[in-house]
Amino acid sequence: MMDEAKRDRGLLRIDTDECKGCGLCVEACPPKVIRLSDRLNHSGYRTAIYAGKGCSGCGICFMACPEPGAITVMRLTNRKSDVSTGLEGATQCAGN
Amino acid sequence: MSSEMVSEYTVVHEKAKSFYESYDRKEELPHQTHFCPGCGHGIVHKMLAQAIDELGIQDKTILVGPIGCSVFTYYYFDVGNVSAAHGRAPAVATAMKRSRPESIVIGYQGDGDLSAIGSAEILHAANRGEHITVIFVNNGIYSMTGGQAAPTTLLGQKSTTTPGGRSAATEGYPLHVSELLATLQAPVYIERVGLGDNKQIAQAKRAIKRAVENQVRGLGFSLVEVLSPCPTIWKMPPVEAQHWVNDVMEKTFPLAVLCDRTKEAVPRPLAAAGPALEDIPHLLGVHEEGLPEGNSAAIKRPAEDLDLRVRVAGFGGQGVLLLGEVLAEAGLDAGLEVSWLPSYGPEIRSGTSNCHVRLAGRPIDSPLVVEPNVLLAMNEPSLRKFYASVHPDGWILYNGETIPEECNRKDVHVLACQFSQVADELGDPRVANMVMLGALLEIAAVLPEASIDAALLRLVKNQRWVQLDERALARGRELYKEAEVSHACRG
Amino acid sequence: MRRQLMKGNEAIVKSAILAGCRAFYGYPITPASEITESAAECMPKTGGVFLQAESEVAAINMLYGAASAGVRAMTASSGPGISLMQEGMSYLAGAQLPCVIADITRGGPGLGNIAAEQGDYHQVVKGGGHGNYRTLVLAPDSVQEMADLTALAFELADRYRNPVVVLADGFIGQMMEPVEFPQKATEPRQPDWAVLGTAETRGNLVTSLHLDLNESESHNLALEAKYRLAEQLETRAEEWQTEGAEIVLVGYGIIGRILKAVTAEARAMGLNVGLLRPITLYPFPTAHLQCLTNTARVFVVVEMSNGQMLEDVRLALNGSIPVEFFSRVGGIVPSTEEILNFVRIQAQRYLPAVVPEEERMVNV
């Protein structure tokens, strides 16, 4: 339970093949957890990389990024366990 | 049954479904757009794709792409795609939406495309209130062609065609297209947004979705202008370019909702289906029911020999064209080949009017009557213009007491009479044309009266006029019989 | 079939709708305006779209949109308006979109006048727009052909996925003649390449852009192959008393009608004259002309232009037979009499019965 509490609200996935290193996401990110890499990607760009922690999952970097799929933003959500979900699904089916 | 809460990461922002997975239409690097790093087009593309996703209209959307940096919209958007000529996206979109009203038609244009070469198309599409959505990306410059000035280039801004900076004295002021369009009555929604900072970007996304949603709701013309960075041509790093939108561009092009009539706009219902296929000939008036049978048996002399070449000439308003039309229509009714050719255009507007009519028993070669065998001259100028062209042994019917001496020919027959006065006595000087036609019919003696009656009924809709015309025709016939006809050539 | 008296400009519209045309975009210009007016009346009541565009430029691009949406679409204009449409016609041909454009010609160049002229031949037949493309061109000579060739134009436009022009002059547009129409309307079709805004057509793309040079060459060659096919299959011409003709008159549109009168009068004078009237101006009826070289001593081309079709006749005959040219320009219609005089002069030059052989050779 302690581990769960420490987890960041958001998580970033950056496709370094698609990224062109414009840096707009770095500028846009409110908690400033994105920076440009020191290494160049195959296109010769210094790409955006996630610092690894501190993402709030706000999604602002996503909209600031000009590439359709370079950034994917995830957010931590709570849900009930698998057993329960399965039952809910069955109920819905029956209801239909 | 016990349930346990678990926490896990789920995707909240990812590539829109209405983008292709990879851009196979692109030659190289099919996972990347062709846009330069930091280009605003990519951001606007994402906002539009998200709007399409969120509104669930991917299968209904037609995207009309422009010419300019965003020419490749069809590389990216997995929707129906059409690429338009420079500036013409609103015209293309207009026609697509009108023919496919159930689809969602979105035009995407840059500022060179929309505000310069396409200024007429966008103005008129907006003014007609076309039910389309226009995304207008304004970066103040022609980027794809290498940085020439656009109507939207800022004062003082350097470009390859304003190397000293844009000057109001020579290039005029930046064109505020959105403000201009907002003065029109038809558009339902026009907003200018920017990509200058996070807040602007969020608003831009909302505006684009709204502009598309308006169309989904059937409300009418919507346009969103997006102030957008062009780091490459502006020669700025992407972040600096973004700030420039905010700090500089926005001063000239203030962000605002310039028109919003979405509340009062009434959704347009889809047009009813067209008529049944079998009804179309009737609707066009080409169904053969009611058309003349063309029975030439009623003609009084062998039709093969018949070759009536008539020139009718007079002032506009004297019924010259109608006279010819009645004659041709009657000829057709009687089963003859006919043609009717009017003088047209400024000739009509300048006051004179004439037409060529041919009735023949064989197919008519030239419909032009250069050498008429009957000239109907409804006034003196017409007589003077055409009397010399009449075929020897032909006829001149002249609306005047006597033929002027210099127009007198010894080799033609003449019936000169004040037809207009006769018409006046019948009740309306405007039927002089029919009095003359009556005389002509008596002279030519080829058309059965039933054909004349049928022609009048088809051409003259008002019953009172039909009766008057019939009286005029009868009077014309009598006039010929009564008149002292000049038989010059019969000696 | 019963016939009715109708203007050529009106017959075009009715025939188009019967052929399944359901969109008309136009802009007024004399002497083509009646087409737009007639479409304004007929299109809405038959379930079609009519719109008066803000310019000919907009009109042709609206045609591009309608054609992209899979609709049989049409516009009409005259000389100056057609000039403005040329860019759009290049795009339509490049994007392989079918549509029909009526050009009811007037006098030029520039504002010229509104009399009938045939000075649009080059811009329509040779393609006034940019790039390697052609438009198929049909030239009616009567109101009946205005109707028939308009219907054919839609068929050809679909068959070749290319714009087709009905090129008529002000006379053919303005005159009334008896005309008969098919009594059954054609069902509007829905081609599978069109962009309809549906799930099935989502992947469809209409564009004339081919950045890859190899792909662009293939595209150009594919267009070229279509045009070669049309040249093999679609040429049409009317031959009038050409059997054994020594003097072959060549003229299209209203000139074809006048040349029929000339032919009759020349034959009455004992001259062995026939008429070849091209109905398709592109593809040009080259083979029809070549077939007449067995008996022909001279071809006489008559045009109301400075000799635009003349070039195609000369290309077709490739120097095998002399070609003489008579024309009136500026909107003046040549009279039967003056053409006949010209034909008589050519008879004296070229026919051995009239002129001794050795002298004839010198003249040639």
Side-chain angles (χ1 to χ4, degrees):
Chain A
M1 286 300 287
M2 285 303 287
D3 279 355
E4 288 289 321
K6 280 184 193 165
R7 285 167 78 182
D8 289 324
R9 199 164 152 257
L11 183 65
L12 281 188
R13 194 168 64 212
I14 295 172
D15 180 345
T16 51
D17 280 349
E18 192 168 334
C19 176
K20 291 172 179 162
C22 68
L24 290 179
C25 57
V26 178
E27 173 78 6
C29 176
K32 299 294 169 203
V33 294
I34 311 174
R35 64 177 178 87
L36 292 185
S37 68
D38 298 327
R39 290 186 55 194
L40 305 182
N41 74 356
H42 68 102
S43 302
Y45 297 124
R46 289 177 63 196
T47 66
I49 49 171
Y50 175 42
K53 58 180 183 177
C55 175
S56 66
C58 68
I60 288 173
C61 61
F62 176 81
M63 280 323 297
C65 171
E67 285 297 310
I71 295 178
T72 306
V73 181
M74 286 162 282
R75 208 176 281 165
L76 194 63
T77 49
N78 295 323
R79 65 167 179 79
K80 290 173 184 170
S81 71
D82 287 337
V83 180
S84 172
T85 306
L87 281 175
E88 276 173 9
T91 314
Q92 277 174 359
C93 283
N96 290 337
Chain B
M1 162 169 61
S2 71
S3 68
E4 186 188 346
M5 292 299 286
V6 294
S7 295
E8 61 182 22
Y9 286 107
T10 52
V11 171
V12 286
H13 297 287
E14 63 178 335
K15 184 174 174 178
K17 296 284 179 291
S18 48
F19 279 127
Y20 284 111
E21 185 58 36
S22 72
Y23 316 122
D24 296 336
R25 282 175 170 141
K26 243 181 117 229
E27 263 181 88
E28 292 164 345
L29 301 173
H31 54 281
Q32 268 182 346
T33 66
H34 73 288
F35 295 117
C36 304
C39 173
H41 276 301
I43 300 171
V44 178
H45 276 34
K46 281 171 81 169
M47 291 170 175
L48 182 56
Q50 280 207 315
I52 293 169
D53 278 11
E54 288 167 17
L55 295 166
I57 54 169
Q58 185 181 11
D59 282 338
K60 296 170 76 179
T61 298
I62 296 172
L63 186 55
V64 182
I67 286 176
C69 285
S70 49
V71 66
F72 295 125
T73 45
Y74 60 83
Y75 280 5
Y76 311 116
F77 287 89
D78 184 6
V79 298
N81 281 285
V82 175
S83 61
H86 199 26
R88 316 302 172 209
V92 173
T94 290
M96 299 202 79
K97 182 67 179 182
R98 285 187 178 231
S99 280
R100 301 278 164 211
E102 64 286 358
S103 64
I104 303 299
V105 182
I106 301 167
Y108 189 109
Q109 297 185 266
D111 52 316
D113 193 84
L114 182 142
S115 74
I117 193 168
S119 51
E121 282 75 12
I122 192 63
L123 178 71
H124 288 276
N127 191 48
R128 290 188 302 261
E130 295 295 342
H131 282 225
I132 59 173
T133 304
V134 178
I135 309 299
F136 167 33
V137 179
N138 178 3
N139 57 23
I141 202 95
Y142 283 80
S143 298
M144 193 183 70
T145 46
Q148 298 79 16
T152 45
T153 297
L154 305 185
L155 287 180
Q157 188 179 350
K158 288 185 179 175
S159 75
T160 57
T161 50
T162 53
R166 179 179 189 159
S167 145
T170 47
E171 287 90 34
Y173 294 89
L175 191 63
H176 292 75
V177 178
S178 292
E179 280 84 348
L180 201 64
L181 297 181
T183 65
L184 304 172
Q185 287 173 272
V188 297
Y189 173 60
I190 297 173
E191 181 169 357
R192 182 185 291 117
V193 295
L195 302 179
D197 59 28
N198 290 348
K199 208 174 142 200
Q200 288 185 7
I201 287 172
Q203 179 56 24
K205 181 179 180 297
R206 282 193 290 273
I208 285 173
K209 183 178 176 185
R210 227 183 129 200
V212 179
E213 195 173 12
N214 288 342
Q215 190 181 161
V216 174
R217 291 170 57 201
L219 296 186
F221 182 89
S222 299
L223 179 143
V224 177
E225 175 179 348
V226 187
L227 302 183
S228 172
C230 176
T232 303
I233 298 297
W234 293 357
K235 299 184 174 65
M236 295 176 196
V239 173
E240 191 183 322
Q242 188 183 42
H243 291 165
W244 201 75
V245 168
N246 206 345
D247 302 338
V248 181
M249 224 181 159
E250 199 200 321
K251 301 283 183 290
T252 298
F253 296 111
L255 306 189
V257 175
L258 295 156
C259 132
D260 186 354
R261 298 191 181 94
T262 50
K263 283 201 177 67
E264 56 266 36
V266 180
R268 181 176 66 178
L270 288 180
L277 217 50
E278 56 267 29
D279 293 336
I280 285 182
H282 279 289
L283 289 165
L284 291 175
V286 300
H287 198 272
E288 56 183 356
E289 250 171 47
L291 294 183
E293 287 179 50
N295 182 7
S296 59
I299 292 187
K300 295 170 189 168
R301 68 181 193 200
E304 307 90 271
D305 301 338
L306 180 74
D307 186 9
L308 191 58
R309 299 158 182 254
V310 181
R311 190 74 178 253
V312 192
F315 284 140
Q318 284 187 308
V320 165
L321 301 183
L322 179 65
L323 192 170
E325 224 177 308
V326 173
L327 183 58
E329 186 76 46
L332 175 65
D333 188 273
L336 294 169
E337 295 297 331
V338 300
S339 66
W340 172 95
L341 178 67
S343 60
Y344 59 87
E347 259 195 286
I348 294 172
R349 291 187 277 275
S350 70
T352 68
S353 173
N354 75 83
C355 68
H356 312 235
V357 181
R358 286 194 63 183
L359 277 70
R362 300 163 197 264
I364 288 167
D365 42 37
S366 173
L368 287 132
V369 175
V370 180
E371 203 180 11
N373 44 28
V374 181
L375 167 67
L376 301 180
M378 298 193 71
N379 57 31
E380 194 180 314
S382 301
L383 176 74
R384 289 183 184 279
K385 191 171 176 186
F386 294 114
Y387 82 95
S389 67
V390 178
H391 193 273
D393 204 29
W395 278 83
I396 295 175
L397 275 66
Y398 174 51
N399 184 21
E401 204 168 1
T402 52
I403 294 265
E405 191 50 41
E406 57 276 29
C407 298
N408 218 344
R409 280 176 56 178
K410 300 290 176 209
D411 59 344
V412 296
H413 312 274
V414 172
L415 173 58
C417 169
Q418 290 183 330
F419 290 100
S420 295
Q421 204 174 327
V422 174
D424 208 11
E425 286 157 19
L426 286 168
D428 198 313
R430 284 176 291 178
V431 293
N433 59 345
M434 292 299 143
V435 181
M436 288 184 92
L437 178 60
L440 162 67
L441 292 169
E442 197 60 29
I443 291 166
V446 286
L447 295 176
E449 280 191 39
S451 289
I452 305 289
D453 292 344
L456 273 183
L457 280 174
R458 266 196 289 279
L459 293 171
V460 184
K461 300 299 171 204
N462 181 317
Q463 190 53 35
R464 192 183 74 85
W465 275 103
V466 171
Q467 286 167 2
L468 192 54
D469 285 341
E470 278 174 350
R471 287 214 307 280
L473 285 166
R475 185 75 190 98
R477 289 177 188 273
E478 288 166 21
L479 272 177
Y480 166 70
K481 290 175 197 160
E482 293 164 6
E484 189 185 330
V485 174
S486 147
H487 294 266
C489 59
R490 289 183 204 167
Chain C
M1 188 89 86
R2 295 184 186 183
R3 304 185 301 168
Q4 65 191 122
L5 203 58
M6 193 179 284
K7 271 194 172 191
N9 281 349
E10 196 184 338
I12 276 194
V13 172
K14 303 204 168 183
S15 177
I17 293 171
L18 288 170
C21 176
R22 290 295 181 275
F24 187 101
Y25 295 93
Y27 186 84
I29 185 168
T30 306
S33 297
E34 293 88 353
I35 301 181
T36 300
E37 289 167 353
S38 179
E41 195 190 318
C42 295
M43 270 297 168
K45 66 184 176 193
T46 48
V49 175
F50 169 83
L51 182 63
Q52 181 175 325
E54 59 269 29
S55 67
E56 287 92 346
V57 173
I60 194 75
N61 283 285
M62 288 169 182
L63 218 57
Y64 183 100
S68 299
V71 179
R72 279 192 165 176
M74 175 169 197
T75 188
S77 190
S78 182
I82 297 291
S83 303
L84 284 170
M85 291 183 181
Q86 293 290 357
E87 183 206 33
M89 284 156 78
S90 170
Y91 273 77
L92 284 154
Q96 304 200 68
L97 291 172
C99 66
V100 173
I101 297 148
D103 178 3
I104 312 300
T105 61
R106 51 187 265 166
L111 194 51
N113 59 40
I114 58 156
E117 218 196 37
Q118 295 183 321
D120 278 11
Y121 187 94
H122 273 162
Q123 75 154 336
V124 167
V125 175
K126 303 298 180 183
H130 58 287
N132 300 309
Y133 80 98
R134 306 299 302 252
T135 47
L136 277 63
V137 185
L138 306 174
D141 78 334
S142 63
V143 175
Q144 186 63 55
E145 276 199 354
M146 286 288 249
D148 296 347
L149 294 184
T150 298
L152 175 65
F154 279 103
E155 291 303 317
L156 292 177
D158 272 4
R159 194 176 303 159
Y160 293 93
R161 283 186 62 182
N162 202 73
V164 178
V165 180
V166 176
L167 180 69
D169 49 67
F171 284 126
I172 310 286
Q174 295 290 329
M175 75 180 181
M176 287 204 291
E177 283 185 321
V179 56
E180 61 184 27
F181 292 95
Q183 295 296 298
K184 201 168 170 292
T186 303
E187 179 108 51
R189 88 287 188 261
Q190 211 164 75
D192 56 9
W193 48 260
V195 177
L196 308 179
T198 59
E200 301 73 39
T201 62
R202 203 173 82 193
N204 287 357
L205 165 67
V206 173
T207 185
S208 58
L209 180 62
H210 300 276
L211 272 193
D212 178 86
L213 302 189
N214 289 316
E215 188 199 314
S216 183
E217 185 178 48
S218 302
H219 172 63
N220 271 273
L221 292 175
L223 293 183
E224 204 50 33
K226 287 196 310 192
Y227 302 138
R228 292 288 92 81
L229 189 67
E231 283 167 12
Q232 282 173 34
L233 300 180
E234 309 300 347
T235 55
R236 284 173 170 78
E238 182 189 12
E239 290 189 35
W240 180 260
Q241 302 190 0
T242 49
E243 180 84 29
E246 292 173 299
I247 298 175
V248 176
L249 308 177
V250 188
Y252 69 96
I254 189 72
I255 290 292
R257 298 285 293 270
I258 295 168
L259 291 181
K260 281 184 180 171
V262 171
T263 303
E265 293 198 25
R267 287 200 163 249
M269 291 162 64
L271 293 174
N272 200 352
V273 172
L275 161 68
L276 185 110
R277 177 175 68 88
I279 295 173
T280 53
L281 298 179
Y282 181 79
F284 195 71
T286 299
H288 289 81
L289 279 166
Q290 286 167 347
C291 283
L292 302 176
T293 55
N294 288 337
T295 58
R297 300 302 180 98
V298 61
F299 282 75
V300 174
V301 177
V302 182
E303 286 182 76
M304 292 192 292
S305 83
N306 59 350
Q308 301 191 10
M309 181 182 72
L310 174 65
E311 293 176 8
D312 279 333
V313 174
R314 287 199 166 131
L315 278 172
L317 298 173
N318 199 19
S320 61
I321 305 275
V323 178
E324 298 293 343
F325 180 58
F326 184 83
S327 86
R328 295 299 300 266
V329 289
I332 293 175
V333 189
S335 70
T336 310
E337 195 181 8
E338 61 188 331
I339 299 172
L340 195 61
N341 280 340
F342 186 78
V343 170
R344 286 170 67 182
I345 292 166
Q346 303 318 314
Q348 284 165 12
R349 269 186 89 183
Y350 291 106
L351 299 190
V354 181
V355 183
E357 178 73 11
E358 58 275 18
E359 201 179 316
R360 187 174 72 82
M361 294 304 286
V362 172
N363 276 342
V364 171

